[in-house]
Amino acid sequence: MARNTSRTPATGRHRITRRTKIATGGLALALAVGGIVVATTAGRTGEASADEADPSFFIDIAKVPAGLNVNKALQQKGARGTFTVDCGRNENQHFNPDNFIAQPGIKNGAQHLHDYVGNLSTNADSNNKSLSKAGTTCKNGDKSAYFWPVVRIDTGEEEEEANNPPATQPDRADSAKDKASAQVECPDVASKLPDVPDQAQDEVNRNLDLLDKQIDEANKRIANGDLKTPQDIQNAVVGPLKDKRVATIDRIAISIGRRAAKPTNLGGLAQCALKQNGQGGLDNGGQNSGGQPAELPGVNDKNEVGNNDGEIQRVRAAIITFTSGGANKVVAMPQFLRILYGDAKQSTNGPANARPSWTCTGFEDRLTDRYPICPQNSKVERIHAFPNCWDGKNIDSANHRSHIVFADQQGKCPQGFKNVPQLVIKLIYDIPRDIQVKGQYKVDAFEQENHNPRSDHDDFANVMGQRLMNQVVNCINTGKRCNQ
């Protein structure tokens, strides 16, 4: 079958699955020696086995009732501002089957391939320090990690092997080294601020930048290696850092107080804590982000892993926007907040966290938990609207979920939780309509999910500087449409 040259995001042809090749090769050998056998194969490290999506997983988008998109309804409530960040389409081909949020420390723990934008270092051993040091694909310098499972075309017919981007090994060694090293952890200030008057924004932002710079300088001082004991670090770094933060936080409070009520509850944010080998640090749930080291089978040379094979589809557009989620006002996310969307193991865990995520462009008033078949001139689209009610303390939790949950349909949070900006990621794909009609595209998934579209999911770690996150909050709360 000739390749459809209109597949602009595709990186090559699909192949006859390795299971098929092995089976037919074995049969030919048996016939050559005069025997008849039934050849079967089992999965092996670095080999993907054939697994096309179930035809029942597909639906004509016109048959999905309009109005089945609670996210769109919430957009009509509360503060109307938005903040959109341009992080590209993974042009640098950053793929791996790791997930440092849901499977921290487990190499290839996702057992399906993730598509990454934003932070350039993301891998199984990523931690706050390694993420902060890394570069980013985001034009405004946002170092946050945004990642989701890839979509593939799987026709099961073409004989030429897929020319997917070559598999590369993540630089996990440096991340592991950063995790083990001594570092300071300091309370987030931006997430504790009241509404910042417009006239005070510039001065507050300068001082939020300074707070981040002070932490970077402290960690660089520790990394020099001349401070031999925790007490040395306490005396030479942690103590002086507190004095600097007291002065900087006080300037923030004074600046706000010139135009509004001066905040009086920021004094306790100056003290930082020392963390080493995952021990110590702040009491903010960060201990749940460590994980136990382990390794599962990785990708083959075609970037296929587990039962995930076929031609990787690059997104035509990845639109990353922060909204109010229906709230009248939001507060800043704390730096290093981890958030999961959807449930990659919904067949095991049940439906509670699975979310309808699929639609077509022009049909965003409805979402479905099946793969959509779109009309001509409409494109396959995934919409992931993340939980947006934070418990006010923790950046992570034991199940990676209970520290941040969804607001209700009025945009209100449960008691004790605060509205933070809601991240909404829209992913648009150029998947030929004949492929859609034939049910020949699928999302990467754990093997037990059988590529069920209900297992679609997305992951986010906030590594924005405090100044940038304060800008996000200001744009949302004041009704601005900000693009960076």
Side-chain angles (χ1 to χ4, degrees), residues 24-54:
T24 55
L27 181 58
L29 178 61
L31 290 171
V33 298
I36 297 295
V37 299
V38 177
T40 60
T41 66
R44 296 198 295 271
T45 300
E47 293 193 356
S49 56
D51 192 14
E52 299 173 20
D54 187 323

Side-chain angles (χ1 to χ4, degrees), residues 138-401:
C138 302
K139 290 183 177 179
N140 66 349
D142 175 13
K143 294 186 177 183
S144 298
Y146 305 88
F147 56 105
W148 50 83
V150 301
V151 168
R152 302 179 192 255
I153 286 178
D154 183 6
T155 66
E157 296 177 2
E158 296 185 7
E159 293 187 3
E160 188 173 330
E161 290 202 357
N163 186 25
N164 283 333
T168 57
Q169 289 300 315
D171 185 7
R172 300 181 179 114
D174 278 353
S175 296
K177 182 179 178 182
D178 286 332
K179 185 183 295 186
S181 66
Q183 55 194 284
V184 292
E185 285 192 345
C186 301
D188 189 88
V189 174
S191 61
K192 305 299 182 184
L193 297 179
D195 285 341
V196 178
D198 283 345
Q199 302 91 329
Q201 283 288 341
D202 288 346
E203 186 172 354
V204 168
N205 283 334
R206 281 196 298 272
N207 283 287
L208 289 173
D209 263 343
L210 183 56
L211 288 171
D212 288 343
K213 182 179 179 181
Q214 290 164 354
I215 296 171
D216 288 342
E217 290 174 345
N219 282 325
K220 288 176 182 176
R221 175 72 178 88
I222 295 171
N224 285 340
D226 59 320
L227 303 172
K228 303 303 182 184
T229 69
Q231 190 60 54
D232 290 341
I233 297 174
Q234 181 68 39
N235 294 338
V237 178
V238 180
L241 177 59
K242 178 182 179 181
D243 295 337
K244 294 177 184 177
R245 286 173 61 84
V246 166
T248 306
I249 292 170
D250 193 43
R251 287 196 295 272
I252 290 174
I254 291 171
S255 176
I256 294 173
R258 292 193 187 105
R259 302 287 182 175
K262 180 181 178 181
T264 58
N265 60 342
L266 304 180
L269 303 178
Q271 182 64 59
C272 301
L274 185 64
K275 184 174 185 176
Q276 187 166 17
N277 289 317
Q279 303 299 313
L282 299 175
D283 178 21
N284 66 350
Q287 70 275 10
N288 296 299
S289 303
Q292 295 298 317
E295 183 167 1
L296 297 176
V299 297
N300 63 18
D301 60 351
K302 298 297 180 183
N303 257 329
E304 298 168 329
V305 59
N307 66 334
N308 297 290
D309 63 343
E311 184 181 277
I312 295 169
Q313 303 298 292
R314 179 175 294 167
V315 294
R316 178 185 178 91
I319 304 167
I320 298 172
T321 303
F322 293 86
T323 76
S324 72
N328 291 325
K329 287 189 179 297
V330 298
V331 301
M333 292 179 180
Q335 197 174 39
F336 307 123
L337 178 69
R338 273 85 161 150
I339 315 180
L340 301 179
Y341 166 86
D343 192 345
K345 296 182 177 179
Q346 57 87 36
S347 67
T348 302
N349 298 333
N353 294 306
R355 310 281 291 186
S357 304
W358 300 87
T359 188
C360 300
T361 56
F363 294 82
E364 286 88 351
D365 61 347
R366 66 203 72 183
L367 291 174
T368 176
D369 58 6
R370 295 160 74 181
Y371 295 119
I373 299 170
C374 305
Q376 293 289 351
N377 302 317
S378 176
K379 299 184 183 300
V380 172
E381 182 175 9
R382 300 156 76 186
I383 300 179
H384 301 154
F386 284 66
N388 58 323
C389 291
W390 173 52
D391 69 4
K393 176 183 178 181
N394 296 298
I395 61 171
D396 203 354
S397 50
N399 63 358
H400 311 299
R401 295 185 186 276

Side-chain angles (χ1 to χ4, degrees), residues 19 28 65 108 162 190 247 255 269 336 348 351 353 417 424 426 445 449:
R19 175 178 292 171
N108 310 310
S255 176
L269 303 178
F336 307 123
T348 302
N353 294 306
F417 286 72
V424 180
K426 297 181 179 180
E449 297 302 324

Side-chain angles (χ1 to χ4, degrees), residues 49-95:
S49 56
D51 192 14
E52 299 173 20
D54 187 323
S56 68
F57 289 162
F58 292 78
I59 188 171
D60 184 335
I61 194 64
K63 296 181 178 178
V64 179
L68 295 181
N69 184 351
V70 65
N71 308 318
K72 194 170 183 67
L74 284 172
Q75 291 171 11
Q76 309 306 315
K77 298 181 171 67
R80 300 295 180 86
T82 60
F83 187 97
T84 300
V85 54
D86 182 356
C87 297
R89 302 182 298 116
N90 193 15
E91 288 88 347
N92 60 317
Q93 299 182 357
H94 181 183
F95 300 103

